[in-house]
Amino acid sequence: MYELGVVHRTVHRPSDADVEKLAPFGVATIHEAMGRTGLMRPYIRPVYPKARLVGTAVTVLLQPGDNWMMHVAAEQVRPGDVLVAACTTECEDGFFGELLATSVRARGGRGLVIDGGCRDAAELEEMDFPVFSRAVNSKGTVKATLGSVNVPVVCANALVHPGDAVVGDADGVVVVPAGRVAEVAEAARKREENEEAKRKRLAAGELGLDIYGMREPLKAAGLRYVD
């Protein structure tokens, strides 16, 4: 599926207003609201506590040990975008650091998700530039081999198209297809309202066994209480 040596300049992004509707919700809520789909593998972690991002994907296909395409991708970033970088094979080298973050932020970029390594973690935290990565690794990279920008990529087992919405928080990263952003945001809102009602009942001492109607199915399954 990979196309090498190409930069697609035209990206069909959902509206900023629709993307911002995802911002109040956590990754877990969005994942559940989308039918339990869209999650990246759990090894993709924020490089500093409380990192969070919401934006539209500019995708990058990297070659192992080579960050040339990161610099190419920076030119394609528009305000509200998030770089989403995959590699043609597994590699945990430090593809991205403070200098690239400075460049991406100057273009209006909101962060990076990478199935690879990054470095300058302390500086990224100081900048509050959110990065979600496979590893933190000081090992440098070269600039010698073509990849691509704005092609479909598989990042940590999630298929990402240019323009898809990406949300990251302490629970991981989820990808929302561009054409479903408004629908998923509304489903997440309804789910959050439902959970808030349950939260109040649980806080009042009511049990999940009763809220979720579990007692009869448990009895039918053979659960016994022994005094």
Side-chain angles (χ1 to χ4, degrees):
M1 64 176 287
Y2 289 140
E3 184 181 14
L4 293 174
V6 65
V7 177
H8 290 280
R9 291 177 170 174
T10 301
V11 173
H12 298 288
R13 298 166 173 85
S15 72
D16 293 342
D18 282 344
V19 174
E20 288 306 313
K21 290 177 183 176
L22 294 171
F25 309 114
V27 165
T29 296
I30 293 169
H31 162 64
E32 295 281 357
M34 201 163 48
R36 297 168 62 197
T37 61
L39 276 185
M40 291 191 182
R41 292 289 302 280
Y43 61 71
I44 301 294
R45 304 301 305 149
V47 302
Y48 60 88
K50 297 185 179 179
R52 178 174 172 80
L53 59 76
V54 180
T56 44
V58 167
T59 62
V60 191
L61 180 62
L62 301 165
Q63 297 282 3
D66 193 314
N67 79 342
W68 211 4
M69 290 300 103
M70 284 292 201
H71 293 270
V72 175
E75 184 182 27
Q76 302 306 312
V77 170
R78 302 293 179 265
D81 283 342
V82 172
L83 289 178
V84 179
C87 193
T88 57
T89 190
E90 291 189 5
C91 184
E92 296 183 344
D93 292 354
F95 290 97
F96 188 94
E98 175 215 354
L99 292 179
L100 268 167
T102 300
S103 177
V104 171
R105 172 160 283 171
R107 305 283 297 180
R110 293 183 174 179
L112 166 72
V113 178
I114 180 169
D115 195 356
C118 77
R119 55 187 187 177
D120 300 334
E123 290 82 356
L124 292 170
E125 181 173 13
E126 185 176 349
M127 295 171 64
D128 195 21
F129 186 92
V131 173
F132 291 74
S133 68
R134 183 188 187 103
V136 174
N137 191 346
S138 294
K139 185 179 178 184
T141 56
V142 300
K143 299 166 179 61
T145 315
L146 290 180
S148 290
V149 176
N150 284 331
V151 297
V153 298
V154 175
C155 184
N157 281 25
L159 177 61
V160 188
H161 290 87
D164 286 349
V166 182
V167 182
D169 64 18
D171 287 334
V173 177
V174 65
V175 181
V176 181
R180 296 190 61 194
V181 169
E183 163 210 337
V184 171
E186 177 62 16
R189 184 190 65 79
K190 291 179 179 177
R191 183 176 182 83
E192 191 78 3
E193 289 179 353
N194 184 45
E195 287 188 352
E196 178 58 26
K198 291 175 182 174
R199 188 177 295 111
K200 290 178 180 178
R201 294 172 68 181
L202 291 166
E206 197 170 348
L207 293 172
L209 287 171
D210 299 310
I211 292 173
Y212 297 107
M214 295 178 179
R215 295 191 186 276
E216 287 303 317
L218 286 167
K219 181 179 179 180
L223 182 67
R224 295 181 298 118
Y225 290 86
V226 179
D227 296 322

